[in-house]
Amino acid sequence: MVRGRMYVSCVAAVACIALLTLAPTAALAARSSQRAALASLELSVVDQINLIRIAHGLVPLTPSPGLIDAATAHCEQMISDGFFAHTSATGVSFAARVARYYPAAGKVYYSVGENILWSAATIDGSDVIGQWMQSPEHRANILSPKWRQIGVAAFTVPDAQGAFGGQTVTIVTTDFGVRV
């Protein structure tokens, strides 16, 4: 009888180990799939902005690691602090916030701009650009001839709190810059 119990316990332990092994793998696969979709959204936003700029006789923008980091940090802060604004939850202006990641550091000319968007609906790059092109301020950023670089970040969050009312939302931040 002891031998039978031990076997059942061993089988149960193996089953538990298998479930514990599969659960993180499934969660990782879901996160990986979501990250791939968001990376596709980010690339689509850059591509569509550049198509619009070229159609208007402007130079296309090149990705900047510093601007990508600034956009990523801002999305993360809006999510964690439950707010939606260019100015940080602690009152830091967007220009000062972006400068931490994309500094002027001895440049003769330096400027930054930012577009942000959040949506409770499923969105793609066309949706994002369509909304921004209908807003005079956002459109002006997209069509500004001074920009040379861009950074885009997108995050989807279930149960986003604060300004997002517990909804599942996608937040997109696009930072524009020039340093010469």
Side-chain angles (χ1 to χ4, degrees), residues 46-98:
V46 173
D47 288 345
Q48 290 188 42
I49 286 173
N50 279 335
L51 287 173
I52 290 168
R53 289 178 63 82
I54 291 167
H56 285 84
L58 301 168
V59 298
L61 305 175
T62 59
S64 159
L67 291 174
I68 293 167
D69 289 347
T72 300
H74 193 52
C75 280
E76 289 172 345
Q77 185 185 34
M78 287 191 289
I79 291 163
S80 68
D81 293 344
F83 76 99
F84 182 75
H86 294 285
T87 301
S88 76
T90 59
V92 176
S93 73
F94 90 89
R97 176 178 41 76
V98 172

Side-chain angles (χ1 to χ4, degrees), residues 3 13 28 32 37 48 51 71 120-121 123 134:
R3 186 182 260 202
L28 182 60
S32 179
Q48 290 188 42
L51 287 173
I123 58 171
Q134 291 185 19

Side-chain angles (χ1 to χ4, degrees), residues 72-140:
T72 300
H74 193 52
C75 280
E76 289 172 345
Q77 185 185 34
M78 287 191 289
I79 291 163
S80 68
D81 293 344
F83 76 99
F84 182 75
H86 294 285
T87 301
S88 76
T90 59
V92 176
S93 73
F94 90 89
R97 176 178 41 76
V98 172
R100 282 185 280 198
Y101 301 93
Y102 185 78
K107 302 298 181 182
V108 175
Y109 181 73
Y110 173 87
S111 185
V112 293
E114 183 171 73
N115 286 358
I116 58 176
L117 172 138
W118 75 271
S119 176
T122 301
I123 58 171
D124 62 19
S126 295
D127 298 326
V128 172
I129 300 306
Q131 289 183 42
W132 282 342
M133 290 302 285
Q134 291 185 19
S135 159
E137 297 85 3
H138 295 98
R139 180 183 176 90

